[in-house]
Amino acid sequence: FRERDHKEMIEKIYAEIREAGFSDVSAYTDGRSLITEFENTRYLSNQKAIGRVLRILLYHSPSDTEELTAVLRRRDMPILKVSVKPDHLEKFLLGKIPEDIFYAKLIGVKVTKQAINSQEKNYIQTKTKRKLRFDFSIKPDLEVYWNDPSGFLKYRTGIKPNITANIWKGALAYARYDIPFYSNIYSPSTGAIPSDVVRSDISKYMDKSYSFDRLMINQAFRISEKSFGRLSLGYFEKMYAGIGGETLYFPGEGQMAFGIEGDLVRKREPQKQFELMDFNRYSVLSNFYYFYPGLDMTLHAQYGRFLAGDIGWMLDINRQYATGVILGVFWSFTDTEDVPLSFNKDYNNKGVYLKMPLRMFLPRDSNRMFNYGVSPWTRDVGITVPHWQDLFGLGKDLMPAKFKTKLDEIKE
């Protein structure tokens, strides 16, 4: 370190990490160790991202470097800290240290609230100046409408251009516009359904009308080292607009999580851009998540009051495969006695969903996912509004319990 220009060294590290495709980069040194923070906007695998960054640090590290540290950020919040001694990393990459020894004893993985000790003043640093950043994409869309008396299968196709902006720390603004190309969805039975249902009249919202599918602000914040909060405001989906909030805590290494969420929403006028109906509903639900590393499987259990006023459980289980694809199923068990309309009585809301990585259709890696789901009937029980960027999605893959399951991808 005595023979190196510290400022020049971390500026080179900063530039190379940026060039590798990562964002919100910061680099630090105290004359003994090298530390960097970044957000993974390049790879589906966070382990692969950490491996790339650690190799950049290793390449630039002086011979007397004590430790290399890479900190993964999300929403301007440092969350996961991975540390290793330079000689251990080099020998591991050259195959001179067995993988089981390296993973178990020589690499440190933990949750962190800050990359460096803010009380110490002797750090030399280079960081990205915060600025408004926009991210644009287009989602191909296919919606199906099942089991209507007028026809077993109807569908709607189109695209949904969307844009995301990081407007301030922890806050994202999100807009998605629904542009249908074709729809044969029409249900004569919908005309007999009153307007004060929660979801049964969804066919009214599935014609060829253009509209904002989502237009919202989502604010995430840190409550403590392992607990997070969220506030959401705007148009959550094509049927509802309102305000919602959530808290979530990850104990231990984050193999499980629990918290509470609530939404107060108003129904949107079908075939309109911004108009709202005089129809209010709310939900209050507790959440419990459990991650089983052996099968890369996650169980999600909810209990509480759903939008139609029914009280009970929603169970969701999904598994992520080696390709990055996530396949899941859900099933509700709620008290339907006070839910209007006879077809809701004793019904269990159920369905399957698929999340596909965009990289399956590209010649390069990407951390984006496409979500699709199917439910056999459209009913009013076990219903919530969808949450874009919920807290479990924010933190689950940056918890040590999940990160350690694929440490071998650090070599990729």
Side-chain angles (χ1 to χ4, degrees), residues 30-68:
D30 58 358
R32 301 187 304 273
S33 299
L34 296 179
I35 304 165
T36 186
E37 294 180 84
F38 70 100
E39 182 165 349
N40 176 22
T41 49
R42 180 68 178 83
Y43 300 106
L44 185 64
S45 166
N46 289 308
Q47 294 86 344
K48 185 175 180 178
I50 283 284
R52 296 295 174 96
V53 169
L54 286 175
R55 287 198 288 277
I56 292 172
L57 292 178
L58 179 63
Y59 178 80
H60 289 280
S61 62
S63 58
D64 56 346
T65 302
E66 294 178 2
E67 191 172 57
L68 307 176

Side-chain angles (χ1 to χ4, degrees), residues 72-342:
L72 268 166
R73 298 164 59 88
R74 189 162 288 166
R75 297 281 204 95
D76 296 320
M77 294 181 288
I79 297 180
L80 184 71
K81 182 178 182 179
V82 180
S83 301
V84 63
K85 293 183 180 299
D87 57 330
H88 291 163
L89 178 61
E90 183 175 11
K91 290 177 181 178
F92 169 70
L93 294 174
L94 294 174
K96 297 179 179 180
I97 294 179
E99 291 186 355
D100 56 342
I101 300 292
F102 181 78
Y103 298 151
K105 298 181 179 180
L106 303 181
I107 187 169
V109 180
K110 66 178 184 178
V111 176
T112 186
K113 198 173 181 180
Q114 56 186 14
I116 60 175
N117 186 348
S118 58
Q119 303 300 318
E120 296 186 18
K121 307 296 184 181
N122 59 338
Y123 283 99
I124 297 174
Q125 59 183 284
T126 298
K127 61 173 61 179
T128 303
K129 291 184 179 179
R130 200 181 198 293
K131 60 181 180 180
L132 189 63
R133 188 178 73 244
F134 295 95
D135 191 8
F136 177 78
S137 67
I138 297 177
K139 176 182 182 289
D141 195 52
L142 172 64
E143 295 179 277
V144 294
Y145 191 66
W146 295 89
N147 290 340
D148 189 73
S150 63
F152 171 70
L153 175 63
K154 297 183 178 183
Y155 65 94
R156 181 178 188 263
T157 62
I159 59 172
K160 291 183 177 180
N162 60 84
I163 187 169
T164 307
N166 62 332
I167 48 181
W168 56 73
K169 183 176 181 179
L172 293 178
Y174 182 59
R176 188 169 75 180
Y177 201 68
D178 187 3
I179 304 176
F181 296 151
Y182 174 80
S183 175
N184 65 356
I185 296 175
Y186 169 73
S187 175
S189 61
T190 305
I193 297 177
S195 60
D196 60 347
V197 296
V198 171
R199 191 69 80 184
S200 299
D201 59 344
I202 193 172
S203 63
K204 295 179 180 178
Y205 298 80
M206 299 177 70
D207 61 3
K208 291 186 282 187
S209 300
Y210 297 178
S211 67
F212 276 100
D213 183 54
R214 286 177 176 168
L215 186 63
M216 59 183 295
I217 293 176
N218 190 304
Q219 173 73 61
F221 53 91
R222 203 78 170 257
I223 299 173
S224 67
E225 186 172 76
K226 297 180 182 179
S227 58
F228 302 85
R230 171 185 60 83
L231 289 174
S232 302
L233 175 67
Y235 293 79
F236 295 151
E237 53 156 306
K238 65 182 64 181
M239 290 188 70
Y240 290 99
I243 185 171
E246 179 186 8
T247 62
L248 193 68
Y249 173 63
F250 293 87
E253 293 201 325
Q255 189 168 344
M256 64 179 65
F258 54 86
I260 190 169
E261 68 178 55
D263 294 288
L264 176 61
V265 295
R266 175 167 286 199
K267 202 171 187 180
R268 300 174 62 179
E269 287 278 3
Q271 305 174 15
K272 302 291 184 180
Q273 293 283 357
F274 300 109
E275 289 86 342
L276 302 176
M277 300 169 59
D278 185 17
F279 177 80
N280 300 319
R281 285 293 182 269
Y282 74 92
S283 63
V284 179
L285 297 162
S286 59
N287 287 308
F288 173 78
Y289 299 88
Y290 179 78
F291 171 66
Y292 178 64
L295 293 174
D296 206 348
M297 186 175 289
T298 302
L299 169 68
H300 178 201
Q302 288 184 301
Y303 178 81
R305 184 191 192 277
F306 294 85
L307 284 182
D310 51 322
I311 296 175
W313 292 89
M314 173 68 78
L315 301 179
D316 180 306
I317 188 167
N318 66 70
R319 183 184 180 190
Q320 185 167 17
Y321 295 87
T323 59
V325 169
I326 297 174
L327 180 64
V329 298
F330 62 89
W331 195 291
S332 74
F333 304 89
T334 64
D335 180 4
T336 61
E337 286 300 315
D338 297 327
V339 181
L341 303 180
S342 60

